[in-house]
Amino acid sequence: MEICVNNNETDVELVIDGRIDSNTSIELQEQILAAIEGSNHVVLDFAKVSYISSAGLRSILIGQKAAAKKRGVMELANVSDIVMEVLQTVGFDKILTFK
Amino acid sequence: MSDRMRRSIRNKLVTMAIVVASIAIVLLGIVSWGGFNEMKRSSYVMSTDLVAISAEKTEEIIRELALEDLKHLAEGTANVLDAKVEQLVDELEMSDIGSVVMEINIGDYGAAFVVNDDGDVLIRTHLTDSADGVVTKKENIFESETPEIIEMITKITLGESGIFISNYGGQEMYWAYEPMDTMPWTVITLFNANEVLAPVMQAKEQTNKLALQAQQEAQNIARSSMIAMIAGMAASAVLATLVGFIYSVKISAPIRKLEDGVRRISKGEFDGKIEINSGDEIENLATAFNNMTKDLKQHIIDLTTVTAEREKIGAELDIATKMQLSMLPNQFPAFPEYSQFDLYATMVTAKEVGGDFYDFFMVDDKHLALVMADVSGKGVPAALFMVKAKTLLQNFAQKGTSPSEILRGVNHELCVNNDAGMFVTAWIGILNVDTGEMNYANAGHNAPLIKRTGGNFEKLKCDANFVLAGLEEINYTQHTVSLQNGDYLYLYTDGVTEATNAKQELYSEARLVDFMNASEIVSAQSLLEEIKEDVDKFAGGEDQFDDITMLGLIFNA
């Protein structure tokens, strides 16, 4: 998995490429938390995410909680059907914001 | 010597020294060879020229001197004869003249004549039968056909004196003539050139001999110098080899020392230090090597400690996994006293301890609780969280509340102090074993599959809701299903559908459903075992990252 950070004027965009599993979720979590720390609007581009494990879901959940705590917004963009199915299975679609 | 050693640095250096020395020697040899040849040639040319030039010069001088001598002889004879004529006057006899002429020492090949103005020879010193040289037989030189003699006759007629050279009877002759004052006669003297030049020739021969000797000597010197040079070359080649050998030994010795050191290290002897004081790069290398050895030793000590610790942790994790497994009910048949259902469950743990778990227990004598859950993440935190979740689920279920209430209560408990952001997906159903009515609720877990008699496996309708421990105050919707005789309920975790093969393909829900529909169901256990077998076949020996956990139940009304 690779993460590309784009610091835009109004938001911070994390373009994630690859599988989010127990090996890569730690880095994702750090990047998400760093982005939320620096911006009230964080966008996670999921266009190139092919798989997300429960550890990855945890990183997303932690990010969502952190964003909510500082009254910021964390958005998921371009989520593929496969990943969306996983998110729906665990009920994350109800608590996350999609672009 | 082994093949490896033949390519040793020492041998390479020796070879290099020999090659460099050989090239220098060969070049020197070529240049010297040319020099010697030049020397030989020039000494030859020089001596030959010298001989030729000196002989020529000597001949010329001798010839000039001889002619001069001859002239003086002729003059002297003429003067003496004039004096004799004046002295005797009337009593002059030819024999007196002849005696004077005969006294002239003119050599074996020389001759003296006196001729009158008619060319008649009056006196001759050689080839004469008379003792006083007076010619009796008439002989006239005017009859000569030799051009030089004809020229002389002309001069004689004019009363002149002179010298000349002629060929007389194949021999070179030197001539001088001087007319007398008192008589109309002329004195002629002549030398045979061979006689005159004999000493010169002899000298020439001698010189030639000397020159040849000098040449020979020069050549000898050249040859012996060449031999000396070749010997010198051979000696320097040997010396170069020797020096090369000594130096290469000097250079390669520390390398060998280093090599020995490396060998010792590879045997695990870290205490030896390599002492090299060559003052060059090799010494630096040895120093670096010693430092490396020291570091390596420390690393090994560290690594040993870490490995020991890791082994300890590994062993503990192993125990944790076993303990985790032992916490799940694994005695089958689970409830032999109940004929209303056939129940089987299995969990195959992945390499790393995970957070899957299943559970079943009688809430009371009529109600069977079924639980399938998956804790996010892996390792000890997930295992610990799993224990907490399992215990809470059981505790809340034992209170006899509904599935949605159980989930709500457990969620609340799990959210407390959940700083690590762990969560659990869980599905729980409470089955009335007499009626077949089952209440169930889901907390973000994948929906179970159900097969109705005569039908196919399909997803059991249920809302996903939200995971446990994620957010507080979540409400979980509850559903009810009525199981009929022979219905098969299948609970599982995503370890089944996300089993991965070498091509990174997932086993998938579609494949699972197809396989289950194609299977003949003998018992709850048989289907689970067949599924496990098919998943293994699909994965083809690839390590699985997730636990594979399944629970099957056949309801018997």
Side-chain angles (χ1 to χ4, degrees):
Chain A
M1 183 202 67
E2 275 174 32
I3 300 170
C4 178
V5 181
N6 298 324
N7 288 300
N8 302 322
E9 264 181 49
T10 55
D11 60 19
V12 175
E13 191 181 22
L14 301 185
V15 182
I16 307 153
D17 188 349
R19 290 165 59 92
I20 306 172
D21 53 31
S22 48
N23 293 323
T24 58
S25 62
I26 297 161
E27 193 201 339
L28 176 66
Q29 186 177 317
E30 282 169 2
Q31 295 271 15
I32 290 173
L33 289 178
I36 289 165
E37 181 92 29
S39 171
N40 273 336
H41 191 179
V42 174
V43 178
L44 307 180
D45 189 335
F46 263 61
K48 288 175 183 167
V49 175
S50 53
Y51 170 83
I52 184 162
S53 76
S54 59
L57 292 172
R58 194 174 132 211
S59 301
I60 303 286
L61 181 61
I62 290 168
Q64 174 63 34
K65 282 182 178 176
K69 200 172 175 185
K70 67 176 283 195
R71 297 185 189 283
V73 179
M74 186 185 85
E75 281 184 319
L76 271 68
N78 307 316
V79 181
S80 69
D81 292 348
I82 299 168
V83 173
M84 187 55 104
E85 203 178 309
V86 176
L87 294 176
Q88 283 166 351
T89 305
V90 292
F92 275 35
D93 56 324
K94 296 186 200 71
I95 61 135
L96 295 173
T97 315
F98 294 91
K99 201 176 183 183
Chain B
M1 197 182 272
S2 69
D3 187 52
R4 192 174 64 83
M5 293 314 284
R6 244 185 285 126
R7 289 157 171 267
S8 70
I9 288 174
R10 196 182 70 190
N11 288 332
K12 279 178 187 164
L13 287 170
V14 171
T15 313
M16 193 185 75
I18 292 171
V19 168
V20 169
S22 305
I23 290 169
I25 288 165
V26 166
L27 286 177
L28 191 69
I30 290 168
V31 171
S32 315
W33 187 268
F36 281 125
N37 277 339
E38 183 60 28
M39 190 173 116
K40 264 166 80 177
R41 203 181 61 79
S42 62
S43 76
Y44 177 80
V45 168
M46 211 168 73
S47 57
T48 314
D49 283 0
L50 191 70
V51 169
I53 290 165
S54 67
E56 213 170 286
K57 200 77 192 167
T58 316
E59 218 179 304
E60 205 181 300
I61 292 165
I62 297 283
R63 184 172 283 135
E64 270 173 26
L65 284 174
L67 286 172
E68 194 75 10
D69 205 15
L70 214 55
K71 202 180 157 200
H72 285 311
L73 213 56
E75 274 172 18
T77 307
N79 287 340
V80 171
L81 289 182
D82 279 336
K84 199 81 181 171
V85 171
E86 275 174 8
Q87 187 197 338
L88 298 175
V89 199
D90 298 331
E91 298 150 38
L92 184 71
E93 292 281 332
M94 273 312 274
S95 59
D96 295 330
I97 302 291
S99 308
V100 173
V101 173
M102 288 302 269
E103 271 166 27
I104 300 167
N105 183 13
I106 207 155
D108 292 341
Y109 298 94
F113 305 88
V114 176
V115 294
N116 63 14
D117 49 357
D118 291 329
D120 293 325
V121 177
L122 303 178
I123 290 160
R124 61 183 301 163
T125 52
H126 287 74
L127 299 173
T128 175
D129 43 1
S130 64
D132 52 12
V134 178
V135 176
T136 47
K137 202 171 134 201
K138 192 175 163 59
E139 192 182 3
N140 194 308
I141 61 163
F142 286 12
E143 288 162 15
S144 172
E145 285 173 5
T146 313
E148 290 90 352
I149 294 175
I150 293 166
E151 198 189 331
M152 175 184 75
I153 290 161
T154 317
K155 297 265 177 75
I156 288 170
T157 321
L158 293 171
E160 289 177 13
S161 61
I163 49 174
F164 67 95
I165 297 166
S166 81
N167 254 316
Y168 189 76
Q171 306 248 33
E172 201 182 35
M173 307 298 280
Y174 295 171
W175 299 79
Y177 52 94
E178 184 71 38
M180 285 175 60
D181 297 333
T182 52
M183 301 287 286
W185 297 346
T186 302
V187 178
I188 300 169
T189 51
L190 69 97
F191 281 155
N192 184 322
N194 284 345
E195 191 195 0
V196 174
L197 291 176
V200 179
M201 287 308 174
Q202 211 176 342
K204 190 176 170 182
E205 215 165 280
Q206 199 108 25
T207 317
N208 255 334
K209 223 183 202 166
L210 283 173
L212 265 175
Q213 262 175 24
Q215 244 175 57
Q216 199 66 42
E217 206 144 312
Q219 279 183 17
N220 283 345
I221 289 167
R223 187 175 300 127
S224 54
S225 317
M226 193 112 69
I227 288 166
M229 195 190 74
I230 288 167
M233 281 174 181
S236 41
V238 168
L239 203 67
T241 310
L242 205 70
V243 169
F245 183 78
I246 291 166
Y247 262 86
S248 57
V249 165
K250 232 174 151 180
I251 291 168
S252 66
I255 296 176
R256 277 166 192 240
K257 228 168 161 183
L258 210 56
E259 192 186 343
D260 288 342
V262 173
R263 217 166 269 150
R264 276 204 310 277
I265 296 283
S266 68
K267 278 187 205 147
E269 297 167 28
F270 291 106
D271 294 325
K273 212 172 155 196
I274 300 169
E275 294 285 351
I276 291 172
N277 297 310
S278 55
D280 55 13
E281 293 90 336
I282 295 168
E283 187 178 327
N284 294 345
L285 185 63
T287 310
F289 186 81
N290 285 333
N291 289 339
M292 189 198 76
T293 310
K294 212 171 73 193
D295 292 349
L296 203 59
K297 193 176 160 187
Q298 190 53 47
H299 275 306
I300 285 175
I301 291 168
D302 292 351
L303 202 62
T304 312
T305 317
V306 169
T307 309
E309 255 162 43
R310 196 164 284 172
E311 268 170 19
K312 201 172 138 203
I313 291 170
E316 283 170 357
L317 275 177
D318 221 33
I319 295 165
T321 308
K322 280 184 189 141
M323 279 179 70
Q324 189 186 13
L325 271 174
S326 72
M327 286 177 76
L328 308 181
N330 56 3
Q331 297 296 315
F332 299 101
F335 306 102
E337 64 275 28
Y338 289 93
S339 61
Q340 296 93 321
F341 59 89
D342 170 19
L343 174 67
Y344 192 78
T346 170
M347 178 162 103
V348 180
T349 52
K351 220 166 150 190
E352 203 178 347
V353 62
D356 274 16
F357 67 92
Y358 66 83
D359 203 3
F360 54 83
F361 48 87
M362 296 306 292
V363 174
D364 51 48
D365 56 357
K366 263 196 217 170
H367 291 93
L368 169 70
L370 301 170
V371 174
M372 183 58 64
D374 185 356
V375 178
S376 66
K378 296 202 184 315
V380 174
L384 288 173
F385 208 73
M386 167 247 165
V387 173
K388 193 174 174 187
K390 181 180 175 291
T391 312
L392 282 170
L393 279 166
Q394 196 161 7
N395 287 350
F396 274 90
Q398 300 287 12
K399 286 180 186 170
T401 53
S402 68
S404 63
E405 284 300 309
I406 296 167
L407 292 180
R408 195 178 156 78
V410 171
N411 181 52
H412 177 74
E413 289 294 323
L414 287 177
C415 279
V416 176
N417 296 330
N418 181 23
D419 296 332
M422 310 280 296
F423 66 83
V424 194
T425 68
W427 183 96
I428 182 164
I430 309 284
L431 174 69
N432 182 323
V433 298
D434 291 335
T435 63
E437 194 180 87
M438 182 173 73
N439 292 323
Y440 60 93
N442 190 12
H445 199 79
N446 46 323
L449 300 175
I450 186 161
K451 180 187 161 73
R452 302 298 194 143
T453 313
N456 277 333
F457 275 99
E458 54 190 32
K459 275 191 187 175
L460 182 67
K461 185 188 164 299
C462 64
D463 292 340
N465 296 316
F466 196 69
V467 296
L468 296 175
L471 294 168
E472 295 211 42
E473 301 301 320
I474 298 283
N475 287 317
Y476 298 89
T477 52
Q478 188 174 305
H479 306 268
T480 306
V481 67
S482 187
L483 297 183
Q484 307 295 317
N485 184 35
D487 287 358
Y488 194 111
L489 179 70
Y490 175 72
L491 310 180
Y492 68 104
T493 60
D494 57 7
V496 179
T497 48
E498 288 176 9
T500 312
N501 66 7
K503 286 187 247 167
Q504 294 295 312
E505 292 168 337
L506 301 180
Y507 185 72
S508 83
E509 196 178 284
R511 188 175 167 130
L512 174 66
V513 171
D514 287 349
F515 180 79
M516 289 168 79
N517 285 333
S519 302
E520 196 188 334
I521 297 164
V522 178
S523 67
Q525 181 178 358
S526 74
L527 182 62
L528 297 192
E529 279 170 356
E530 279 174 45
I531 293 168
K532 178 73 181 67
E533 220 167 273
D534 193 52
V535 169
D536 285 348
K537 203 172 91 188
F538 173 81
E542 286 292 303
D543 272 346
Q544 294 306 310
F545 299 106
D546 223 344
D547 302 339
I548 293 175
T549 313
M550 302 181 281
L551 184 150
L553 177 132
I554 299 175
F555 184 69
N556 301 314

